[in-house]
Amino acid sequence: MTAPVIGVLALQGDVREHLTALTGAGAQARPVRRPEELDAVDGLVIPGGESTTISKLVDIFELRDPIDKRIAAGMPVYGSCAGMIMLATEVLDGRPDQRGFDGIAMTVRRNAFGRQVDSFEAPVEVDGIGGGPLHAIFIRAPWVERVGDGVEVLGTVTDGPAAGRIVAVRQGNLLATSFHPELTGDLRLHGYFVDLVRTTS
Ligand code: GLN
Protein backbone atom coordinates (compact mmCIF):
# COMPACT_ATOMS: atom_id res chain seq x y z
CA MET A 1 0.00 0.00 0.00
CA THR A 2 1.53 3.33 -0.97
CA ALA A 3 1.75 6.08 1.60
CA PRO A 4 -0.62 8.97 0.87
CA VAL A 5 0.99 12.37 0.37
CA ILE A 6 -0.25 14.79 3.02
CA GLY A 7 0.67 18.45 3.17
CA VAL A 8 0.90 20.68 6.21
CA LEU A 9 -0.03 24.30 5.55
CA ALA A 10 3.31 25.85 6.43
CA LEU A 11 2.59 29.56 6.77
CA GLN A 12 2.66 29.80 10.58
CA GLY A 13 2.20 27.54 13.60
CA ASP A 14 3.39 24.11 14.68
CA VAL A 15 4.14 22.77 11.22
CA ARG A 16 7.13 20.59 12.11
CA GLU A 17 5.26 18.65 14.79
CA HIS A 18 2.51 17.73 12.33
CA LEU A 19 5.05 16.68 9.68
CA THR A 20 6.67 14.38 12.24
CA ALA A 21 3.35 12.94 13.43
CA LEU A 22 2.10 12.35 9.88
CA THR A 23 5.33 10.59 8.91
CA GLY A 24 5.06 8.43 12.03
CA ALA A 25 1.47 7.59 11.08
CA GLY A 26 2.51 6.32 7.64
CA ALA A 27 2.10 9.34 5.32
CA GLN A 28 4.57 11.09 3.06
CA ALA A 29 4.40 14.48 4.72
CA ARG A 30 5.37 17.77 3.08
CA PRO A 31 5.10 21.46 3.88
CA VAL A 32 2.72 23.43 1.63
CA ARG A 33 3.37 27.10 0.97
CA ARG A 34 2.66 27.45 -2.72
CA PRO A 35 -0.27 26.49 -4.97
CA GLU A 36 1.94 24.02 -6.90
CA GLU A 37 2.76 22.28 -3.64
CA LEU A 38 -0.94 22.03 -2.81
CA ASP A 39 -1.58 20.42 -6.21
CA ALA A 40 0.80 17.60 -5.28
CA VAL A 41 -0.90 16.49 -2.03
CA ASP A 42 -3.84 14.15 -1.39
CA GLY A 43 -4.77 15.74 1.94
CA LEU A 44 -3.90 18.79 4.03
CA VAL A 45 -3.36 19.59 7.71
CA ILE A 46 -3.96 23.14 8.93
CA PRO A 47 -1.89 23.42 12.11
CA GLY A 48 -2.40 25.27 15.34
CA GLY A 49 -0.96 28.75 15.54
CA GLU A 50 -2.87 31.99 15.21
CA SER A 51 -5.89 31.94 12.93
CA THR A 52 -5.83 35.70 12.27
CA THR A 53 -2.22 35.43 11.04
CA ILE A 54 -2.86 32.26 9.04
CA SER A 55 -5.86 33.95 7.41
CA LYS A 56 -3.70 36.90 6.30
CA LEU A 57 -0.88 34.70 5.05
CA VAL A 58 -3.28 32.49 3.08
CA ASP A 59 -4.12 35.59 1.01
CA ILE A 60 -0.53 36.80 0.73
CA PHE A 61 0.61 33.36 -0.48
CA GLU A 62 -2.36 33.19 -2.88
CA LEU A 63 -3.60 29.94 -1.42
CA ARG A 64 -7.20 30.88 -0.62
CA ASP A 65 -8.78 30.03 -3.95
CA PRO A 66 -6.75 26.88 -4.50
CA ILE A 67 -7.60 25.55 -1.02
CA ASP A 68 -11.30 26.48 -1.39
CA LYS A 69 -11.36 24.59 -4.69
CA ARG A 70 -9.63 21.49 -3.33
CA ILE A 71 -12.03 21.41 -0.35
CA ALA A 72 -14.99 21.70 -2.72
CA ALA A 73 -13.52 18.82 -4.74
CA GLY A 74 -13.40 16.60 -1.64
CA MET A 75 -9.79 16.80 -0.47
CA PRO A 76 -9.53 15.63 3.15
CA VAL A 77 -8.42 18.38 5.53
CA TYR A 78 -7.64 18.15 9.23
CA GLY A 79 -7.56 21.40 11.22
CA SER A 80 -6.17 21.56 14.75
CA CYS A 81 -6.93 24.53 17.01
CA ALA A 82 -6.31 27.58 14.76
CA GLY A 83 -6.87 25.08 11.91
CA MET A 84 -10.29 24.25 13.36
CA ILE A 85 -11.10 27.97 13.33
CA MET A 86 -9.98 28.16 9.68
CA LEU A 87 -12.42 25.36 8.76
CA ALA A 88 -15.48 26.83 10.51
CA THR A 89 -18.33 28.56 8.70
CA GLU A 90 -18.77 30.96 11.64
CA VAL A 91 -16.26 32.35 14.18
CA LEU A 92 -17.23 34.12 17.41
CA ASP A 93 -14.70 36.47 19.05
CA GLY A 94 -12.70 36.52 15.84
CA ARG A 95 -11.17 39.56 14.21
CA PRO A 96 -13.56 41.13 11.75
CA ASP A 97 -11.11 40.69 8.88
CA GLN A 98 -10.24 37.04 9.46
CA ARG A 99 -11.63 34.58 6.94
CA GLY A 100 -11.68 30.83 6.85
CA PHE A 101 -12.54 28.20 4.27
CA ASP A 102 -16.22 27.71 5.20
CA GLY A 103 -15.66 23.99 5.30
CA ILE A 104 -17.44 22.60 8.37
CA ALA A 105 -20.94 23.87 9.20
CA MET A 106 -20.17 24.94 12.74
CA THR A 107 -19.85 27.98 14.96
CA VAL A 108 -16.59 28.08 16.92
CA ARG A 109 -15.63 30.48 19.66
CA ARG A 110 -12.02 31.62 19.57
CA ASN A 111 -10.00 31.48 22.81
CA ALA A 112 -13.14 30.02 24.35
CA PHE A 113 -11.83 28.37 27.48
CA GLY A 114 -10.99 31.71 29.06
CA ARG A 115 -7.96 33.27 30.66
CA GLN A 116 -7.91 31.13 33.81
CA VAL A 117 -7.65 27.96 31.79
CA ASP A 118 -5.70 29.35 28.84
CA SER A 119 -3.96 26.03 28.53
CA PHE A 120 -5.05 22.75 30.03
CA GLU A 121 -5.00 19.04 29.43
CA ALA A 122 -7.84 16.54 29.62
CA PRO A 123 -8.68 13.05 28.45
CA VAL A 124 -11.03 13.11 25.44
CA GLU A 125 -12.70 10.03 24.02
CA VAL A 126 -12.92 10.36 20.21
CA ASP A 127 -15.48 8.31 18.23
CA GLY A 128 -13.77 6.10 15.72
CA ILE A 129 -10.47 6.02 17.64
CA GLY A 130 -10.04 2.95 19.80
CA GLY A 131 -7.63 2.33 22.63
CA GLY A 132 -8.97 4.73 25.23
CA PRO A 133 -9.19 8.51 25.48
CA LEU A 134 -6.67 10.81 23.83
CA HIS A 135 -4.61 13.00 26.08
CA ALA A 136 -5.84 16.33 24.73
CA ILE A 137 -3.73 19.48 25.08
CA PHE A 138 -5.64 22.76 24.72
CA ILE A 139 -3.72 26.01 24.13
CA ARG A 140 -5.86 29.15 23.82
CA ALA A 141 -8.23 26.78 22.12
CA PRO A 142 -11.57 27.29 20.44
CA TRP A 143 -14.60 25.18 21.24
CA VAL A 144 -17.54 24.38 19.00
CA GLU A 145 -20.73 26.12 20.10
CA ARG A 146 -23.09 24.82 17.42
CA VAL A 147 -22.95 22.29 14.66
CA GLY A 148 -25.12 22.25 11.55
CA ASP A 149 -26.58 19.40 9.54
CA GLY A 150 -24.11 16.77 8.46
CA VAL A 151 -21.56 17.50 11.18
CA GLU A 152 -20.66 14.58 13.41
CA VAL A 153 -19.56 15.36 16.95
CA LEU A 154 -16.61 13.04 17.61
CA GLY A 155 -15.47 14.24 21.02
CA THR A 156 -16.44 16.38 23.99
CA VAL A 157 -14.70 17.37 27.23
CA THR A 158 -16.06 15.16 29.99
CA ASP A 159 -14.87 16.78 33.24
CA GLY A 160 -14.23 20.14 34.85
CA PRO A 161 -15.58 23.59 34.02
CA ALA A 162 -15.57 22.91 30.29
CA ALA A 163 -17.49 19.61 30.58
CA GLY A 164 -19.81 19.02 27.64
CA ARG A 165 -17.93 21.29 25.24
CA ILE A 166 -17.49 19.92 21.74
CA VAL A 167 -13.80 19.65 20.79
CA ALA A 168 -13.67 17.18 17.88
CA VAL A 169 -15.90 17.12 14.80
CA ARG A 170 -16.07 15.73 11.31
CA GLN A 171 -18.09 16.65 8.25
CA GLY A 172 -17.44 14.40 5.28
CA ASN A 173 -13.71 14.56 4.59
CA LEU A 174 -13.11 17.48 6.93
CA LEU A 175 -11.90 16.81 10.45
CA ALA A 176 -11.18 19.31 13.23
CA THR A 177 -10.03 19.24 16.84
CA SER A 178 -9.66 22.04 19.39
CA PHE A 179 -6.63 20.25 20.78
CA HIS A 180 -3.12 19.35 19.62
CA PRO A 181 -2.43 15.62 19.17
CA GLU A 182 0.84 16.50 17.40
CA LEU A 183 2.31 17.52 20.77
CA THR A 184 1.70 14.23 22.55
CA GLY A 185 3.53 11.53 20.60
CA ASP A 186 0.20 9.64 20.36
CA LEU A 187 -0.25 9.05 16.64
CA ARG A 188 -3.83 7.74 16.70
CA LEU A 189 -5.55 10.93 15.52
CA HIS A 190 -3.03 11.40 12.70
CA GLY A 191 -3.46 7.71 11.87
CA TYR A 192 -7.23 8.26 11.61
CA PHE A 193 -6.60 11.15 9.20
CA VAL A 194 -4.04 9.20 7.15
CA ASP A 195 -6.65 6.41 6.77
CA LEU A 196 -9.25 8.97 5.68
CA VAL A 197 -6.85 10.32 3.02
CA ARG A 198 -5.93 6.79 1.94
CA THR A 199 -9.56 5.78 1.42
CA THR A 200 -10.36 9.03 -0.39
CA SER A 201 -7.48 9.25 -2.86
N1 GLN B 1 -6.12 31.28 19.74
C1 GLN B 1 -5.58 30.88 18.49
C2 GLN B 1 -6.37 31.44 17.32
O1 GLN B 1 -7.26 32.20 17.48
C3 GLN B 1 -5.53 29.37 18.37
C4 GLN B 1 -4.51 28.80 19.33
C5 GLN B 1 -3.81 27.60 18.82
O2 GLN B 1 -3.88 27.25 17.64
N2 GLN B 1 -3.05 26.98 19.69
O3 GLN B 1 -6.09 31.14 16.21
Side-chain angles (χ1 to χ4, degrees):
M1 204 159 28
T2 55
V5 180
I6 302 185
V8 179
L9 186 63
L11 304 177
Q12 192 258 343
D14 61 345
V15 174
R16 203 164 24 120
E17 292 82 351
H18 278 288
L19 291 170
T20 304
L22 287 166
T23 305
Q28 296 180 58
R30 314 182 168 164
V32 167
R33 272 184 213 92
R34 297 183 303 138
E36 308 79 73
E37 291 166 339
L38 181 72
D39 291 342
V41 301
D42 305 316
L44 184 70
V45 170
I46 306 178
E50 176 48 59
S51 56
T52 54
T53 306
I54 294 174
S55 167
K56 263 189 223 144
L57 292 172
V58 160
D59 288 322
I60 291 170
F61 282 75
E62 299 182 341
L63 281 164
R64 188 171 299 278
D65 254 28
I67 293 176
D68 277 342
K69 286 194 178 119
R70 288 296 303 275
I71 288 177
M75 174 178 69
V77 183
Y78 165 44
S80 160
C81 203
M84 170 187 257
I85 296 170
M86 289 299 295
L87 284 175
T89 49
E90 189 183 16
V91 178
L92 305 176
D93 294 337
R95 275 196 14 189
D97 61 344
Q98 81 179 95
R99 280 175 59 212
F101 298 116
D102 285 345
I104 300 180
M106 63 178 170
T107 302
V108 299
R109 186 175 294 280
R110 237 176 113 228
N111 302 337
F113 290 95
R115 266 176 229 282
Q116 276 78 34
V117 285
D118 235 12
S119 299
F120 71 102
E121 305 184 10
V124 173
E125 200 66 73
V126 176
D127 275 8
I129 296 185
L134 297 180
H135 179 73
I137 300 178
F138 299 87
I139 304 166
R140 291 180 301 106
W143 66 42
V144 180
E145 294 220 346
R146 281 187 292 275
V147 292
D149 287 347
V151 180
E152 264 176 280
V153 172
L154 299 183
T156 52
V157 177
T158 48
D159 293 318
R165 292 298 178 181
I166 299 169
V167 292
V169 294
R170 175 171 171 183
Q171 182 170 24
N173 287 339
L174 305 178
L175 174 70
T177 65
S178 305
F179 53 88
H180 292 269
E182 74 284 4
L183 300 180
T184 62
D186 181 339
L187 299 177
R188 285 178 293 162
L189 201 287
H190 288 82
Y192 176 95
F193 184 63
V194 171
D195 284 346
L196 171 61
V197 177
R198 196 178 269 133
T199 53
T200 307
S201 54

Coordinates of all heavy atoms in Angstrom, one line a residue, residues 112-165:
A112 N -11.9 30.2 23.6 CA -13.1 30.0 24.3 C -13.0 29.6 25.8 O -13.8 29.9 26.6 CB -14.0 29.0 23.6
F113 N -11.9 28.9 26.1 CA -11.8 28.4 27.5 C -11.5 29.4 28.5 O -11.5 29.1 29.7 CB -10.9 27.2 27.5 CG -11.4 26.0 26.7 CD1 -11.0 25.8 25.4 CD2 -12.2 25.1 27.3 CE1 -11.5 24.7 24.7 CE2 -12.8 24.0 26.6 CZ -12.4 23.8 25.3
G114 N -11.2 30.6 28.1 CA -11.0 31.7 29.1 C -9.6 31.8 29.6 O -8.8 30.9 29.5
R115 N -9.3 33.0 30.2 CA -8.0 33.3 30.7 C -7.5 32.3 31.7 O -6.3 31.9 31.7 CB -7.9 34.7 31.2 CG -7.5 35.7 30.2 CD -7.5 37.1 30.7 NE -8.2 37.9 29.8 CZ -7.7 38.4 28.7 NH1 -6.4 38.2 28.4 NH2 -8.3 39.2 27.9
Q116 N -8.3 32.0 32.7 CA -7.9 31.1 33.8 C -7.4 29.8 33.3 O -6.5 29.2 33.9 CB -9.1 30.9 34.8 CG -9.2 31.9 35.8 CD -10.0 33.1 35.2 OE1 -10.8 32.9 34.4 NE2 -9.6 34.3 35.6
V117 N -8.0 29.3 32.3 CA -7.6 28.0 31.8 C -7.2 28.1 30.3 O -7.5 27.3 29.5 CB -8.8 26.9 31.9 CG1 -9.0 26.5 33.3 CG2 -10.1 27.5 31.3
D118 N -6.3 29.1 30.1 CA -5.7 29.3 28.8 C -5.2 28.1 28.2 O -5.4 27.8 27.0 CB -4.5 30.3 29.0 CG -4.6 31.5 28.2 OD1 -5.7 31.7 27.7 OD2 -3.6 32.2 28.1
S119 N -4.5 27.3 29.0 CA -4.0 26.0 28.5 C -4.3 25.0 29.6 O -4.2 25.2 30.8 CB -2.4 26.1 28.4 OG -2.1 27.1 27.5
F120 N -4.8 23.8 29.1 CA -5.1 22.7 30.0 C -5.1 21.4 29.3 O -5.0 21.4 28.0 CB -6.4 23.0 30.8 CG -7.6 22.8 29.9 CD1 -8.4 21.6 30.0 CD2 -8.0 23.8 29.1 CE1 -9.5 21.4 29.2 CE2 -9.2 23.6 28.3 CZ -9.9 22.5 28.4
E121 N -5.1 20.4 30.0 CA -5.0 19.0 29.4 C -6.1 18.2 30.0 O -6.5 18.4 31.2 CB -3.6 18.4 29.7 CG -2.5 19.3 29.3 CD -1.1 18.7 29.4 OE1 -1.0 17.5 29.7 OE2 -0.2 19.5 29.2
A122 N -6.7 17.4 29.2 CA -7.8 16.5 29.6 C -7.9 15.3 28.7 O -7.6 15.4 27.6 CB -9.1 17.3 29.5
P123 N -8.4 14.2 29.3 CA -8.7 13.1 28.4 C -9.9 13.3 27.6 O -10.9 13.8 28.1 CB -8.9 11.9 29.5 CG -9.3 12.6 30.7 CD -8.8 14.0 30.7
V124 N -9.9 13.0 26.3 CA -11.0 13.1 25.4 C -11.2 11.8 24.6 O -10.3 11.4 23.9 CB -10.9 14.3 24.5 CG1 -12.0 14.3 23.5 CG2 -10.9 15.6 25.3
E125 N -12.3 11.2 24.8 CA -12.7 10.0 24.0 C -13.1 10.5 22.6 O -14.0 11.4 22.5 CB -13.9 9.4 24.8 CG -14.2 8.0 24.6 CD -13.2 7.0 25.0 OE1 -13.0 6.8 26.3 OE2 -12.6 6.4 24.2
V126 N -12.6 9.9 21.6 CA -12.9 10.4 20.2 C -13.6 9.2 19.5 O -12.9 8.1 19.4 CB -11.7 10.9 19.4 CG1 -12.1 11.2 18.0 CG2 -11.1 12.1 20.1
D127 N -14.8 9.4 19.0 CA -15.5 8.3 18.2 C -14.7 7.9 17.0 O -14.2 8.7 16.3 CB -16.8 8.9 17.7 CG -17.9 8.8 18.7 OD1 -17.6 8.5 19.8 OD2 -19.0 9.1 18.3
G128 N -14.5 6.6 16.9 CA -13.8 6.1 15.7 C -12.3 5.9 16.0 O -11.6 5.3 15.2
I129 N -11.9 6.3 17.2 CA -10.5 6.0 17.6 C -10.5 5.1 18.9 O -10.9 5.6 20.0 CB -9.7 7.4 17.9 CG1 -9.7 8.1 16.6 CG2 -8.3 7.1 18.5 CD1 -8.8 9.4 16.6
G130 N -10.0 3.9 18.7 CA -10.0 3.0 19.8 C -8.8 3.1 20.7 O -7.9 3.9 20.4
G131 N -8.8 2.3 21.8 CA -7.6 2.3 22.6 C -7.7 3.3 23.8 O -6.6 3.6 24.4
G132 N -8.8 3.8 24.1 CA -9.0 4.7 25.2 C -8.9 6.2 24.8 O -8.6 6.5 23.7
P133 N -9.2 7.1 25.8 CA -9.2 8.5 25.5 C -7.8 9.0 25.0 O -6.8 8.5 25.4 CB -9.6 9.2 26.8 CG -9.5 8.1 27.9 CD -9.5 6.8 27.2
L134 N -7.9 10.1 24.2 CA -6.7 10.8 23.8 C -6.3 11.8 25.0 O -7.2 12.3 25.6 CB -6.9 11.6 22.6 CG -7.2 10.9 21.3 CD1 -7.4 11.9 20.1 CD2 -6.1 9.9 20.9
H135 N -5.0 12.0 25.1 CA -4.6 13.0 26.1 C -4.6 14.3 25.3 O -3.7 14.6 24.5 CB -3.2 12.7 26.6 CG -2.7 13.7 27.6 ND1 -3.2 13.7 28.8 CD2 -1.8 14.6 27.4 CE1 -2.5 14.7 29.5 NE2 -1.7 15.3 28.6
A136 N -5.7 15.1 25.5 CA -5.8 16.3 24.7 C -5.2 17.5 25.4 O -5.4 17.8 26.6 CB -7.3 16.6 24.5
I137 N -4.4 18.3 24.6 CA -3.7 19.5 25.1 C -4.4 20.7 24.4 O -4.5 20.7 23.2 CB -2.2 19.5 24.7 CG1 -1.5 18.3 25.4 CG2 -1.6 20.8 25.2 CD1 -0.1 18.1 25.0
F138 N -4.9 21.6 25.2 CA -5.6 22.8 24.7 C -4.8 24.0 25.0 O -4.3 24.2 26.1 CB -7.0 22.9 25.4 CG -7.9 21.8 25.3 CD1 -7.9 20.7 26.1 CD2 -8.9 21.8 24.2 CE1 -8.8 19.6 25.9 CE2 -9.8 20.7 24.1 CZ -9.7 19.6 24.9
I139 N -4.5 24.8 24.0 CA -3.7 26.0 24.1 C -4.5 27.2 23.5 O -4.6 27.2 22.3 CB -2.3 25.9 23.4 CG1 -1.6 24.6 24.0 CG2 -1.5 27.1 23.6 CD1 -0.4 24.2 23.1
R140 N -5.0 28.1 24.3 CA -5.9 29.2 23.8 C -6.8 28.6 22.7 O -6.9 29.2 21.7 CB -5.0 30.3 23.3 CG -4.3 31.1 24.4 CD -3.4 32.2 23.9 NE -2.5 31.8 22.9 CZ -2.5 32.0 21.6 NH1 -3.5 32.6 21.1 NH2 -1.6 31.5 20.8
A141 N -7.5 27.6 23.1 CA -8.2 26.8 22.1 C -9.6 27.3 21.9 O -10.3 27.9 22.8 CB -8.3 25.3 22.6
P142 N -10.1 27.0 20.7 CA -11.6 27.3 20.4 C -12.4 26.1 20.9 O -11.9 25.0 21.1 CB -11.6 27.3 18.9 CG -10.6 26.4 18.5 CD -9.5 26.5 19.5
W143 N -13.7 26.3 21.2 CA -14.6 25.2 21.2 C -15.7 25.4 20.2 O -15.8 26.5 19.6 CB -15.1 25.0 22.6 CG -16.1 26.0 23.2 CD1 -17.1 26.7 22.6 CD2 -16.0 26.5 24.6 NE1 -17.7 27.5 23.5 CE2 -17.1 27.4 24.7 CE3 -15.3 26.2 25.7 CZ2 -17.4 28.1 25.9 CZ3 -15.6 26.8 26.9 CH2 -16.6 27.8 27.0
V144 N -16.5 24.3 20.0 CA -17.5 24.4 19.0 C -18.8 24.7 19.7 O -19.2 23.9 20.6 CB -17.6 23.0 18.2 CG1 -18.7 23.1 17.2 CG2 -16.3 22.7 17.6
E145 N -19.5 25.8 19.4 CA -20.7 26.1 20.1 C -22.0 25.5 19.5 O -22.9 25.2 20.1 CB -20.9 27.6 20.1 CG -19.8 28.3 21.0 CD -20.4 29.4 21.8 OE1 -21.5 29.9 21.6 OE2 -19.6 29.8 22.7
R146 N -21.9 25.4 18.1 CA -23.1 24.8 17.4 C -22.6 24.1 16.2 O -21.6 24.5 15.6 CB -24.0 26.0 16.9 CG -24.9 26.6 17.9 CD -25.8 27.6 17.2 NE -25.1 28.8 16.6 CZ -24.8 29.9 17.4 NH1 -25.2 29.9 18.6 NH2 -24.2 30.9 16.8
V147 N -23.3 23.0 15.9 CA -23.0 22.3 14.7 C -24.2 22.2 13.8 O -25.3 22.2 14.3 CB -22.4 20.9 14.9 CG1 -21.1 20.9 15.5 CG2 -23.4 20.0 15.6
G148 N -24.0 22.3 12.5 CA -25.1 22.3 11.6 C -25.3 20.8 11.1 O -24.7 19.9 11.5
D149 N -26.3 20.7 10.1 CA -26.6 19.4 9.5 C -25.3 18.8 8.9 O -24.5 19.5 8.3 CB -27.6 19.6 8.4 CG -29.0 19.9 9.0 OD1 -29.2 19.7 10.2 OD2 -29.9 20.3 8.2
G150 N -25.2 17.5 9.1 CA -24.1 16.8 8.5 C -22.8 16.8 9.2 O -21.8 16.2 8.8
V151 N -22.8 17.5 10.4 CA -21.6 17.5 11.2 C -21.7 16.5 12.3 O -22.6 16.5 13.1 CB -21.3 18.9 11.8 CG1 -20.0 18.9 12.6 CG2 -21.2 19.9 10.7
E152 N -20.7 15.6 12.4 CA -20.7 14.6 13.4 C -19.8 15.1 14.6 O -18.7 15.5 14.3 CB -19.9 13.4 12.9 CG -20.6 12.2 12.3 CD -19.5 11.3 11.8 OE1 -19.0 11.5 10.7 OE2 -19.2 10.3 12.5
V153 N -20.4 15.0 15.8 CA -19.6 15.4 16.9 C -18.8 14.1 17.3 O -19.4 13.1 17.6 CB -20.5 15.8 18.1 CG1 -19.7 16.0 19.4 CG2 -21.2 17.1 17.7
L154 N -17.4 14.2 17.3 CA -16.6 13.0 17.6 C -16.1 13.0 19.0 O -15.7 12.0 19.6 CB -15.4 13.0 16.7 CG -15.6 12.9 15.2 CD1 -14.3 12.8 14.5 CD2 -16.5 11.7 14.8
G155 N -16.0 14.2 19.7 CA -15.5 14.2 21.0 C -15.9 15.5 21.8 O -16.0 16.6 21.2
T156 N -16.1 15.3 23.1 CA -16.4 16.4 24.0 C -15.6 16.3 25.2 O -15.1 15.2 25.6 CB -17.9 16.3 24.4 OG1 -18.2 15.1 25.0 CG2 -18.9 16.6 23.3
V157 N -15.4 17.4 25.9 CA -14.7 17.4 27.2 C -15.7 16.7 28.2 O -16.8 17.1 28.3 CB -14.3 18.8 27.7 CG1 -13.7 18.8 29.0 CG2 -13.4 19.5 26.6
T158 N -15.1 15.9 29.1 CA -16.1 15.2 30.0 C -16.1 15.7 31.4 O -17.0 15.6 32.1 CB -15.7 13.7 30.1 OG1 -14.3 13.5 30.2 CG2 -16.1 12.9 28.8
D159 N -15.0 16.3 31.8 CA -14.9 16.8 33.2 C -14.5 18.3 33.4 O -14.0 18.8 32.4 CB -13.8 16.0 34.0 CG -14.1 14.5 34.1 OD1 -15.3 14.3 34.4 OD2 -13.2 13.7 33.9
G160 N -14.7 18.8 34.5 CA -14.2 20.1 34.9 C -15.2 21.2 34.3 O -16.3 20.9 33.8
P161 N -14.7 22.5 34.4 CA -15.6 23.6 34.0 C -16.0 23.6 32.6 O -17.0 24.2 32.2 CB -14.7 24.8 34.3 CG -13.4 24.4 34.7 CD -13.4 22.9 34.9
A162 N -15.2 22.9 31.7 CA -15.6 22.9 30.3 C -16.3 21.6 29.9 O -16.5 21.4 28.7 CB -14.3 23.0 29.5
A163 N -16.8 20.9 30.9 CA -17.5 19.6 30.6 C -18.6 19.8 29.6 O -19.4 20.8 29.7 CB -18.0 19.0 31.9
G164 N -18.7 18.9 28.6 CA -19.8 19.0 27.6 C -19.4 19.8 26.4 O -20.1 19.7 25.4
R165 N -18.3 20.5 26.4 CA -17.9 21.3 25.2 C -17.4 20.4 24.1 O -16.7 19.5 24.4 CB -16.8 22.3 25.6 CG -17.3 23.4 26.5 CD -18.4 24.2 25.9 NE -18.9 25.2 26.8 CZ -19.9 26.1 26.4 NH1 -20.5 26.0 25.2 NH2 -20.3 27.0 27.2

